[in-house]
Amino acid sequence: MRDFSPDHRWLSINTATLRGAGPLDAIIEACARHGIRAIAPWRDQVAGIGLKRTAQMLRSSGIALSGYCRGGMFTAFDAAGRQAALDDNRRAIDEAKTLGAPCLVLVVGGLPGALAGAPQSKDLFAARSDVRDGIAATLEAARDAGMPLAIEPLHPMYAAERACVNTLCQALDLCDAIDPADGTGATLGVDVPDRAALRVDAPDRTALGVAVDVYHVWWDPALDAQVARAGRGNRLLAFHVCDWLVPTTDMLNDRGMMGDGVIEIARIRGQVEAAGFDGYSEAEIFSSGNWWKRPADEVLATCIERHRRCV
Ligand code: ZN
């Protein structure tokens, strides 16, 4: 396991952590000031200053990406909605490519309409079917672009609104069904003529994998076994950290700074690294009541200190 205590070279900042710090250009400048080597920006933040300007700022600051947030949201009530989701994911792949992201993170979607507060269905099985078909179709575009897709399982409390993939096992089952090791894709209901020919042409990069976020998976009794399974399949594409506060006062926006909650972050990182992951540890803290109210410099200085001591 890598020693993070001497420096923060393996710290990435998910730009959602700095939602209170203004537009993305200000966030990138703040990260550059603190010697942050990688970030994971969100599409709305990129759109806020423009894709071109984002790419220019990343180039001039020498900051890399640890991922791009986010694609997914495949579930829909009708065919037009499903197609709109596929179109949007293709645009996300193009943006990720322009920014040089190592993967596009997928939050797959929950019950159609639920995120807007008006669920149009209670059929979670249909939603999961949409997700499977949506990822399979998007994977073709992803392979063409050489952009790996990282399915992020979300904590079960988000099953209705955001993601009906809720465990690492479920995410890996999807990977194995859509992108089996033998390249056949035979278990899918979609017609892909020659899957093997479409694989990303880089031996050390998988086309379809997972993003492991400690906030979503820390409670899972099968976590260690599933992390090892992900490693065996070369599917560990991203590692996100924050902490689970006790009590948690908001389902979405009350994540804790690393070290302030009850997640054994270092233990989980040890498992992930033992399974072969050697990338960035990405701090992703949604915190409307606390960290979003503080200046960027304070948030970043704290992330750096906690990365070295608690991650
Ligand atoms: Zn995450």
Side-chain angles (χ1 to χ4, degrees), residues 14 42 69 105 107 152-154 211-216 239-241 255 282 284 286:
N14 185 298
W42 284 67
C69 296
V105 173
V107 171
E152 182 165 354
L154 260 54
V212 175
D213 185 326
V214 298
Y215 194 73
H216 297 303
F239 180 59
H240 301 173
V241 297
R255 297 190 184 197
E282 181 182 312
E284 183 185 36
F286 301 173

Side-chain angles (χ1 to χ4, degrees), residues 143-221:
R143 283 188 169 124
D144 287 345
M147 178 54 58
L149 302 177
I151 303 171
E152 182 165 354
L154 260 54
H155 189 285
M157 70 179 169
Y158 300 114
E161 287 101 333
R162 285 185 167 74
C164 58
V165 172
N166 306 105
T167 64
L168 197 49
C169 179
Q170 194 187 354
L172 290 167
D173 284 350
L174 267 174
C175 289
D176 288 347
I178 297 168
D179 177 44
D182 64 6
T184 58
T187 56
L188 287 175
V190 292
D191 183 30
V192 179
D194 185 359
R195 278 191 173 270
L198 290 170
R199 296 185 82 80
V200 172
D201 189 21
D204 59 336
R205 290 175 96 199
T206 189
L208 182 62
V210 294
V212 175
D213 185 326
V214 298
Y215 194 73
H216 297 303
V217 302
W218 70 279
W219 57 273
D220 185 349

